[in-house]
């Protein structure tokens, strides 16, 4: 069964350019502005959207995304609200894949079966759940695959060749290579090592490999995008939301701040292989 | 090995106690956790490792800790005989050292060059800083900013021992936030760093490993009580935050059905006060946080609540997974103890026995105060007195109005 994610990566492969995968926090800085940001992403140049499900205890995230999650929660965001945002987005966009990204507890409390049914209904294409390694596949990964939702796994510099097959076994959609050991938003250390790591993963799978963590500028995107099938940008966008606020409230610059960075990054991925 | 029906066989190979436990961590940490498990399995059956640990327990910690008959407290309560397992007499002043010594030897075996830990009351932070000084490893202790303030003496001790204390301002600045920050540090420095978790919680194998290191409490207690009274105690009580002293105390008794086991949770302002307590089993429901599935204080959307307790060491919205399982199976009875009850217990032990308990342990004592009068004079209740209260005298003094401000 091909999904929106499969079709999007196949189309970009035909264009010979990497995908621009953009992460924003659902409902940051408030629910209506968060929706406006989400809706603006495809036109600004995002090929795949990762939509953050805010959690009170984001253990793998750096300060930028921690703050984005806190703003979303303070504005009343819930998992039901996140699914509602996807549904709203889908009224106007039937083709851009949406991947929900977050932590397991809110999904567990929502109820896995109910969540998968509602996510399918809303038009969610994939899931990235940071605290569900392959050892816990029976919790959500296998039920998601059965429901036709891609489960995208993170691989990291600590995932060696021995472990890689375990991590890739039930992965679908694409593989998300975390370019460093660390939390979101830190600076990338060695670009050469990223290229090698992507090649190493590609030796084990036919899935597209997207690289994230530490990509901030169009030049980063162009550089990393030479080797990778996609580049993921998150903290810099969430940070831009934070910086656009006036006493914690959205301003007329808020949506534009995100849109401008995405447009710039879109130029980056388009020149990656020229 | 215990029999097939034993309650002491957990966890299973997936790190589960029933539905609780597991390994809910980011992929970056997974290879390390598997490696830790391999090293722990090897160490467990290595006579050299066990001998070193035993030697340190005897000559460094001061084990066995005494089992003390609290005569005046018994008279005061007017019921069962009350005994104290004196873990507060250990080096560093609490049971925490038992676990820290076991883990620091593992860290050395694994070739790690840096140690991190989270701490609430600072007891685990002090114990970690202590073993790091002894074994010459740099260490960073993450501690909530609120706790840094209310447990100032322990902060000083950690600094004097050479540890870097990093105050965490996220959230309410308590133990949960310190653990988040420690996990972030670990993910970043995974190659060099050993995360010395202080309670019987977190991803497998930590709950099992910490329990094993703390089980010396119950094993000694059982033998000492047998020696003193020629039988088993009727009830055993311990306080439960993450629950390391409690599981260490209970584990030897799990298959002794005649021994009633009580865990005292932090009831804070009262179990009916929303977000006003830290009694995760009495007032929470199962969820996934910090690497394991367990009872958690959370809202309807699965967001974790901060909780509240007068005791920094119990001020945590979760509990070790084995306790969650023991709660569901009803082998252990978990009861909430309010701040007020703990303060009363703190004063009672101080005045009747001349022993100043940690506020954490005072929660267990408050349960003993309720329980002992309901039992016969020939029955016995044992409390694990997990820590001493030197660190708490200032904050208790403030509550009691003995200090200005």
């Amino acid at each position: 069964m091909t999904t929106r994610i499969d079709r999007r990566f196949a189309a970009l492969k035909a264009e010979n350019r990497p995908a621009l995968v953009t992460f924003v926090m659902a409902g940051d800085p408030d629910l209506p502005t968060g929706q406006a940001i989400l809706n603006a992403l495809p036109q600004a140049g995002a090929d795949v959207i990762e939509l953050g499900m805010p959690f009170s205890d984001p253990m793998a995230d750096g300060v930028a995304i921690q703050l984005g999650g806190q703003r979303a929660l303070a504005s009343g965001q819930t998992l039901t609200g996140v699914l509602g945002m996807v549904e709203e987005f889908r009224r106007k966009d039937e083709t851009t894949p949406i991947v929900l990204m977050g932590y397991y507890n809110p999904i567990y409390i929502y109820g896995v079966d109910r969540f998968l049914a509602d996510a399918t209904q809303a038009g969610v294409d994939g899931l990235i759940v940071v605290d569900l390694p392959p050892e816990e596949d029976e919790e959500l990964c296998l039920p998601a695959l059965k429901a036709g939702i891609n489960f995208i796994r993170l691989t990291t510099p600590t995932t060696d060749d021995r472990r890689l097959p375990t991590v890739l076994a039930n992965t679908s959609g694409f593989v998300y290579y975390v370019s460093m050991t660390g939390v979101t938003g830190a600076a990338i250390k060695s670009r050469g090592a990223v290229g090698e790591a992507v090649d190493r993963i590609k030796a084990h799978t036919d899935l597209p490999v997207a690289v994230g963590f530490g990509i901030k500028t169009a030049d980063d995107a162009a550089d990393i995008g030479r080797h990778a099938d996609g580049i993921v940008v998150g903290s810099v966008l969430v940070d831009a939301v934070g910086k656009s606020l006036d006493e914690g409230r959205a301003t007329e610059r808020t949506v534009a701040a995100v849109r401008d960075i995405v447009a710039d990054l879109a130029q980056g991925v388009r020149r990656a292989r020229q | 090995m215990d029999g097939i029906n034993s309650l002491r066989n957990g966890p299973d190979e997936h790190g589960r106690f029933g539905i609780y436990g597991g390994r809910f961590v980011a992929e970056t940490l997974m290879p390390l956790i598997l490696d830790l498990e391999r090293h722990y399995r090897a160490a467990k059956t290595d006579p050299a490792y066990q001998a070193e640990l035993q030697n340190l327990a005897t000559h460094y910690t001061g084990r066995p800790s005494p089992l003390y008959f609290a005569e005046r407290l018994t008279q005061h309560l007017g019921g069962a005989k009350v005994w104290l397992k004196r873990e507060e007499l250990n080096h560093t002043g609490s049971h925490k050292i038992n676990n820290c010594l076991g883990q620091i030897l593992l860290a050395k075996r694994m070739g790690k060059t840096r140690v991190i830990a989270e701490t609430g009351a600072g007891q685990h932070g002090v114990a970690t800083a202590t073993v790091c000084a002894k074994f010459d490893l740099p260490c960073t202790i993450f501690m909530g900013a609120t706790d840094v303030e209310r447990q100032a003496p322990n902060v000083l001790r950690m600094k004097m021992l050479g540890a870097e204390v990093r105050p965490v301002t996220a959230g309410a600045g308590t133990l949960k936030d310190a653990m988040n920050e420690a996990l972030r540090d670990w993910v970043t420095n995974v190659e060099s760093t050993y995360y010395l978790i202080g309670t019987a919680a977190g991803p497998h194998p930590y709950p099992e490993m910490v329990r094993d290191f703390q089980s010396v409490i119950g094993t000694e207690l059982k033998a000492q009580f047998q020696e003193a009274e020629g039988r088993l105690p009727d009830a055993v009580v311990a306080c439960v935050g993450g629950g390391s002293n409690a599981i260490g105390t209970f584990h030897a008794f799990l298959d002794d059905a005649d021994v009633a086991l009580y865990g005292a949770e932090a009831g804070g302002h009262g179990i009916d006060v929303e977000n006003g307590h830290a009694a995760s089993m009495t007032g929470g429901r199962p969820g996934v946080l910090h690497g394991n599935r367990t009872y958690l204080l959370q809202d309807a959307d699965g967001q974790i609540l901060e909780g509240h307790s007068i005791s920094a060491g119990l001020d945590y919205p979760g509990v070790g997974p084995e306790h969650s399982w023991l709660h569901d199976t009803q082998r252990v009875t978990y009861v909430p103890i309010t701040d007020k009850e703990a303060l009363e217990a703190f004063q009672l032990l101080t005045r009747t026995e001349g022993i100043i308990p940690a506020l954490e342990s005072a929660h267990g004592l408050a349960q003993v105060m309720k329980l002992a009068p309901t039992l016969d004079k020939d029955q016995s209740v044992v409390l694990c007195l997990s820590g001493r209260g030197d660190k708490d005298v200032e904050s208790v003094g403030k509550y009691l109005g003995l200090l200005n401000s």
Side-chain angles (χ1 to χ4, degrees):
Chain A
M1 169 171 60
T2 63
T3 64
R4 276 193 200 94
I5 297 173
D6 300 333
R7 290 193 289 275
R8 179 56 54 97
F9 274 99
L12 294 175
K13 190 173 183 181
E15 282 181 39
N16 190 31
R17 73 167 177 88
L20 174 59
V21 184
T22 56
F23 172 97
V24 293
M25 184 60 79
D28 172 29
D30 59 63
L31 305 186
T33 311
Q35 185 77 55
I37 290 171
L38 175 64
N39 294 351
L41 289 173
Q43 217 186 345
D47 300 304
V48 177
I49 295 169
E50 286 179 11
L51 187 61
M53 302 175 281
F55 183 48
S56 52
D57 293 81
M59 292 151 290
D61 285 303
V63 174
I65 293 178
Q66 288 176 42
L67 292 175
Q70 284 170 21
R71 291 191 295 266
L73 289 173
S75 72
Q77 186 60 289
T78 61
L79 190 47
T80 306
V82 175
L83 294 173
M85 280 181 71
V86 178
E87 204 172 345
E88 178 67 27
F89 176 88
R90 281 275 170 258
R91 287 179 212 277
K92 286 169 196 145
D93 188 318
E94 262 298 314
T95 54
T96 307
I98 293 192
V99 175
L100 296 185
M101 182 166 182
Y103 297 81
Y104 183 41
N105 196 56
I107 296 172
Y108 179 69
I109 294 302
Y110 193 96
V112 166
D113 293 341
R114 184 178 149 231
F115 170 75
L116 290 173
D118 292 355
T120 306
Q121 180 73 28
V124 170
D125 305 292
L127 299 172
I128 301 176
V129 183
V130 179
D131 51 355
L132 284 178
E135 281 72 8
E136 304 293 350
D137 268 358
E138 284 175 22
E139 296 283 333
L140 179 63
C141 174
L142 298 180
L145 294 180
K146 209 175 280 178
I149 293 183
N150 288 142
F151 200 84
I152 293 129
R153 190 94 65 195
L154 304 174
T155 72
T156 73
T158 60
T159 316
D160 60 17
D161 281 322
R162 200 159 43 99
R163 182 161 170 83
L164 208 41
T166 309
V167 173
L168 295 173
N170 293 318
T171 300
S172 60
F174 62 97
V175 180
Y176 185 150
Y177 178 65
V178 175
S179 64
M180 63 185 135
T181 61
V183 294
T184 51
I188 206 159
K189 281 168 196 152
S190 159
R191 288 181 179 170
V194 174
E196 279 168 37
V198 170
D199 291 343
R200 187 164 66 83
I201 295 165
K202 282 184 161 293
H204 288 268
T205 180
D206 294 331
L207 289 169
V209 178
V211 175
F213 281 41
I215 298 172
K216 295 183 191 303
T217 65
D219 285 344
D220 294 339
D223 200 12
I224 302 288
R226 250 196 319 241
H227 296 285
D229 302 305
I231 58 115
V232 189
V233 181
S235 294
V236 72
L237 301 178
V238 178
D239 203 34
V241 171
K243 284 185 176 140
S244 75
L245 305 179
D246 182 17
E247 291 180 358
R249 291 178 173 223
T251 63
E252 56 190 18
R253 298 193 312 278
T254 301
V255 178
V258 176
R259 206 168 45 207
D260 291 351
I261 297 172
V262 173
D264 189 39
L265 291 161
Q267 296 303 314
V269 294
R270 277 166 182 78
R271 65 170 188 262
R273 294 178 197 157
Q274 281 172 8
Chain B
M1 196 62 208
D2 296 292
I4 193 161
N5 292 321
S6 171
L7 300 175
R8 304 178 66 205
N9 292 338
D12 66 17
E13 70 270 34
H14 305 294
R16 298 288 180 98
F17 302 89
I19 67 162
Y20 301 104
R23 287 179 282 221
F24 296 89
V25 294
E27 174 58 28
T28 310
L29 298 177
M30 228 17 251
L32 183 79
I33 282 171
L34 294 171
D35 195 37
L36 174 62
E37 189 180 352
R38 276 190 296 274
H39 276 90
Y40 179 56
R41 296 270 169 262
K44 219 172 164 174
T45 53
D46 177 356
Y49 172 88
Q50 292 299 337
E52 189 173 6
L53 190 57
Q54 177 64 49
N55 186 47
L56 286 165
T58 307
H59 301 287
Y60 192 70
T61 307
R63 304 210 69 89
S65 67
L67 179 67
Y68 168 74
F69 173 50
E71 196 172 355
R72 281 201 68 216
L73 180 63
T74 299
Q75 282 167 4
H76 178 90
L77 295 177
K81 291 188 199 172
V82 178
W83 304 73
L84 305 175
K85 176 62 174 163
R86 305 281 309 269
E87 288 297 304
E88 102 283 9
L89 292 177
N90 292 340
H91 179 44
T92 74
S94 80
H95 68 291
K96 293 293 187 186
I97 191 78
N98 302 328
N99 168 48
C100 287
L101 285 169
Q103 288 200 54
I104 200 82
L105 294 181
L106 263 186
K108 281 283 193 189
R109 282 171 78 106
M110 293 175 76
K112 298 294 177 185
T113 55
R114 173 176 178 259
V115 170
I116 58 170
E118 84 296 337
T119 196
Q123 296 295 82
H124 175 58
V126 167
T128 302
T130 298
V131 298
C132 285
K134 178 170 167 47
F135 288 90
D136 194 22
L137 283 170
C139 88
T140 301
I141 307 291
F142 294 89
M143 188 170 187
T146 305
D147 294 340
V148 167
E149 196 171 321
R150 62 177 161 173
Q151 304 280 251
N154 273 346
V155 175
L156 270 179
R157 289 168 78 197
M158 286 184 267
K159 287 182 176 169
M160 286 175 184
L161 287 159
E164 179 200 355
V165 179
R166 235 181 259 177
V168 178
T169 52
T174 59
L175 186 50
K176 163 177 93 101
D177 312 297
M179 198 148 183
N180 287 335
E181 211 53 40
L183 283 163
R184 291 185 188 114
D185 182 296
W186 199 24
V187 164
T188 307
N189 301 296
V190 62
E191 297 292 343
S192 66
T193 298
Y194 185 91
Y195 183 13
L196 209 164
I197 294 184
T199 193
H204 178 66
Y206 282 98
E208 174 190 358
M209 198 166 71
V210 177
R211 176 202 69 200
D212 289 350
F213 291 135
Q214 295 294 2
S215 290
V216 63
I217 303 173
T219 308
E220 279 178 12
L221 194 174
K222 201 171 186 177
Q224 289 166 322
F225 195 86
Q226 187 71 35
E227 170 104 19
E229 297 283 279
R231 60 185 188 89
L232 292 171
D234 299 282
V236 175
V237 180
C239 65
V240 181
S244 71
N245 93 83
I247 200 67
T249 307
F250 296 159
H251 200 250
F253 295 100
L254 289 181
D255 289 334
D256 300 310
D258 292 340
V259 181
L261 303 173
Y262 295 91
E265 290 196 281
H269 301 308
I271 204 79
D272 300 328
V273 180
E274 199 188 323
N275 209 10
H277 61 84
S280 49
M281 286 179 289
T282 324
R285 59 183 170 137
V288 173
L289 179 73
H290 293 157
N292 54 185
R293 178 171 14 235
T294 193
Y295 276 86
L296 297 171
L297 301 178
Q298 52 186 320
D299 69 13
D301 193 43
Q303 306 297 337
I304 310 303
L305 301 174
E306 294 288 346
H308 158 82
S309 170
I310 189 175
S311 144
L314 305 184
D315 203 346
Y316 179 69
V319 65
E322 194 164 7
H323 286 294
S324 290
W325 177 71
L326 291 168
H327 175 61
D328 279 9
T329 57
Q330 300 185 333
R331 174 62 187 98
V332 179
T333 305
Y334 295 91
V335 294
I337 297 294
T338 64
D339 290 351
K340 195 163 164 278
E341 290 169 330
L343 277 169
E344 282 165 16
F346 179 97
Q347 295 171 82
L348 180 68
L349 191 67
T350 305
R351 294 293 179 89
T352 57
E353 295 290 345
I355 297 172
I356 302 178
L359 271 175
E360 291 75 25
S361 320
H363 284 71
L365 184 65
Q367 172 59 16
V368 171
M369 287 163 65
K370 293 179 184 182
L371 183 65
T374 69
L375 300 176
D376 292 338
K377 286 186 188 314
D378 58 355
Q379 292 185 291
S380 281
V381 180
V382 185
L383 170 72
C384 177
L385 191 62
S386 54
R388 68 178 78 137
D390 307 33
K391 68 187 176 64
D392 295 314
V393 292
E394 193 174 331
S395 47
V396 172
K398 276 183 197 166
Y399 278 106
L400 300 179
L402 300 177
L403 289 172
N404 305 324
S405 88

